[in-house]
Amino acid sequence: MEPGNNEPLLFGFGFDEAGLPTPLTWDDVLEGKLAAFKRAWLHLDRQSAQAQGWLYRKSGLDRVTVQALLQEETRPRAARHGHGYLINLRGPNLNEGADVEDLVTLRMWAGENLLITLRARPVRSASDVRKLVEDGDIPTSTGALVASIADRLTDRMETVLDEFDDEADRYEDELLDPRVNLDRSVLPEFRRRILQVRRHITPQREALNTLVRDGGQSGLFSETDLLYLREAADRMTRLTELLETIRERSSVLYEEAAQEGTEETNRRLFVLAILSAIFLPISFVTGLFGVNLGGIPGSGSPVAFLTLVAALAASVVVTLVLLRWQRWI
């Protein structure tokens, strides 16, 4: 688990010539012990004032780079800057109580001898790669670490979009099943969640493609690293297409649900119109005979009421026959 939010250094490693990792503390960073290692990886809390101060004053990065790493709003990208890369990638928010579509951002400065990653909210993919480093399961070059982080972010994004696809399948089944009453209010919310993820998926694919296209020329990424990045970019392309398909399906589902609601309303209005047509003669006659004025026919006859009831029943039958003849019922 990562330390609390008050810690500027969430975790860090120094790597020797053989690539073996040594855990670092914040005191090690402040005391300049990074110089004792061939390369280092620092995972910082972007919201920590101490981490921000170190980045500006002691990290060796220029002010433009630091400002890019610390800016509040950003989008996925990868840009060559001097001898390194500024990289912003996003992943699903898997923190407790959070919405998975509220993507978390991982900002990176990737140089030959230093990898700095920053986050405001926990990013599980970074913790995944941390464990791989501790277990000695991956190379510890900067390029390998970046490629592994991109691969883990894509893994988790793939799982989330597969769940979205399953959710769309479930809504389709419920909409087609007459025994199930689909709550139509969930469809606009589902579509909103899809669009929120889609807004960042496309630029993330472009960022990974940029690393694949330019990374080999920089010497920062080996052929193996580029292979992992290329695979992550290809998977992100597939996820982009999947997300576009899910978005289109959600739009069709919403339209079908709205059409079904309109048809149901029309059916109810039609039934009311039929009932009104059936009872219109009855209402007219009973209203006419209820005016309580002199001269009402049959007022003194003992069979007048039965005659009126029979006449009204006959009018109902005649009305039903006419409606049936017109094929309205």
Side-chain angles (χ1 to χ4, degrees), residues 2 28 75 107 146 173-174 187 199-200 209 241 273 317:
E2 294 181 353
D28 294 334
R75 65 194 297 271
R107 298 123 185 271
V146 171
D173 293 339
E174 292 179 359
L187 295 177
R199 185 164 62 96
H200 297 288
N209 283 330
E241 295 170 352
V317 173

Side-chain angles (χ1 to χ4, degrees), residues 118-135:
L118 298 100
R119 61 77 164 162
R121 293 173 291 179
V123 179
R124 293 191 183 181
S125 299
S127 299
D128 292 342
V129 178
R130 172 192 183 181
K131 189 172 189 310
L132 292 176
V133 170
E134 292 173 338
D135 295 341

Side-chain angles (χ1 to χ4, degrees), residues 6-54:
N6 294 327
E7 294 291 335
L9 179 65
L10 302 168
F11 61 81
F13 297 101
F15 304 105
D16 60 18
E17 292 288 340
L20 297 176
T22 299
L24 298 173
T25 66
W26 184 240
D27 288 338
D28 294 334
V29 176
L30 294 179
E31 293 169 7
K33 293 184 179 180
L34 298 182
F37 298 96
K38 182 177 181 180
R39 66 177 63 90
W41 174 22
L42 303 179
H43 187 54
L44 304 176
D45 184 348
R46 184 174 62 84
Q47 296 179 325
S48 168
Q50 296 181 65
Q52 294 176 10
W54 179 82

Side-chain angles (χ1 to χ4, degrees), residues 224-253:
T224 302
D225 301 335
L226 292 175
L227 179 63
Y228 274 100
L229 288 172
R230 188 177 296 109
E231 178 64 21
D234 289 343
R235 289 163 62 198
M236 193 60 66
T237 298
R238 185 188 72 82
L239 293 180
T240 302
E241 295 170 352
L242 175 61
L243 194 60
E244 187 64 24
T245 300
I246 296 173
R247 185 189 69 82
E248 293 176 358
R249 290 172 64 192
S250 68
S251 298
V252 172
L253 283 171

Side-chain angles (χ1 to χ4, degrees), residues 29-304:
V29 176
L30 294 179
E31 293 169 7
K33 293 184 179 180
L34 298 182
F37 298 96
K38 182 177 181 180
R39 66 177 63 90
W41 174 22
L42 303 179
H43 187 54
L44 304 176
D45 184 348
R46 184 174 62 84
Q47 296 179 325
S48 168
Q50 296 181 65
Q52 294 176 10
W54 179 82
L55 285 170
Y56 275 113
R57 293 188 293 271
K58 297 184 178 181
S59 66
L61 303 179
D62 60 75
R63 191 173 185 85
V64 173
T65 300
V66 175
Q67 288 176 342
L69 290 172
L70 296 178
Q71 63 182 333
E72 287 297 326
E73 297 296 330
T74 186
R75 65 194 297 271
R77 65 165 183 158
R80 183 82 176 270
H81 187 74
H83 298 290
Y85 279 90
L86 273 169
I87 306 170
N88 293 333
L89 298 178
R90 292 208 174 209
N93 191 344
L94 302 177
N95 298 302
E96 185 176 356
D99 296 326
V100 69
E101 67 273 8
D102 184 18
L103 304 184
V104 292
T105 304
L106 188 67
R107 298 123 185 271
M108 290 181 266
W109 164 254
E112 178 62 32
N113 301 318
L114 180 62
L115 172 63
I116 298 175
T117 56
L118 298 100
R119 61 77 164 162
R121 293 173 291 179
V123 179
R124 293 191 183 181
S125 299
S127 299
D128 292 342
V129 178
R130 172 192 183 181
K131 189 172 189 310
L132 292 176
V133 170
E134 292 173 338
D135 295 341
D137 291 337
I138 62 170
T140 55
S141 66
T142 298
L145 293 174
V146 171
S148 295
I149 291 172
D151 185 58
R152 290 303 184 276
L153 286 170
T154 306
D155 283 344
R156 294 190 180 276
M157 188 70 75
E158 195 169 34
T159 300
V160 169
L161 293 192
D162 285 341
E163 292 175 355
F164 280 173
D165 194 32
D166 292 340
E167 190 173 351
D169 289 339
R170 186 173 72 253
Y171 290 148
E172 283 182 345
D173 293 339
E174 292 179 359
L175 190 61
L176 296 174
D177 191 344
R179 297 168 299 177
V180 178
N181 185 19
L182 175 63
D183 182 7
R184 297 181 182 87
S185 64
V186 302
L187 295 177
E189 175 63 18
F190 178 62
R191 189 165 184 268
R192 181 197 64 80
R193 292 163 57 203
I194 294 300
L195 293 175
Q196 187 170 346
V197 175
R198 178 176 176 267
R199 185 164 62 96
H200 297 288
I201 285 291
T202 301
Q204 183 137 321
R205 178 190 61 184
E206 296 304 320
L208 293 174
N209 283 330
T210 298
L211 289 176
V212 172
R213 184 173 59 251
D214 301 339
Q217 302 174 5
S218 67
L220 191 64
F221 299 95
S222 68
E223 287 299 323
T224 302
D225 301 335
L226 292 175
L227 179 63
Y228 274 100
L229 288 172
R230 188 177 296 109
E231 178 64 21
D234 289 343
R235 289 163 62 198
M236 193 60 66
T237 298
R238 185 188 72 82
L239 293 180
T240 302
E241 295 170 352
L242 175 61
L243 194 60
E244 187 64 24
T245 300
I246 296 173
R247 185 189 69 82
E248 293 176 358
R249 290 172 64 192
S250 68
S251 298
V252 172
L253 283 171
Y254 181 76
E255 292 173 1
E256 289 182 353
Q259 180 66 26
E260 187 176 286
T262 301
E263 291 176 356
E264 183 178 349
T265 300
N266 290 338
R267 284 195 298 268
R268 292 176 178 176
L269 292 174
F270 180 72
V271 171
L272 291 175
I274 294 297
L275 292 175
S276 298
I278 292 173
F279 287 100
L280 180 61
I282 298 176
S283 301
F284 173 75
V285 173
T286 55
L288 183 63
F289 277 78
V291 295
N292 292 325
L293 296 177
I296 296 297
S299 58
S301 173
V303 297

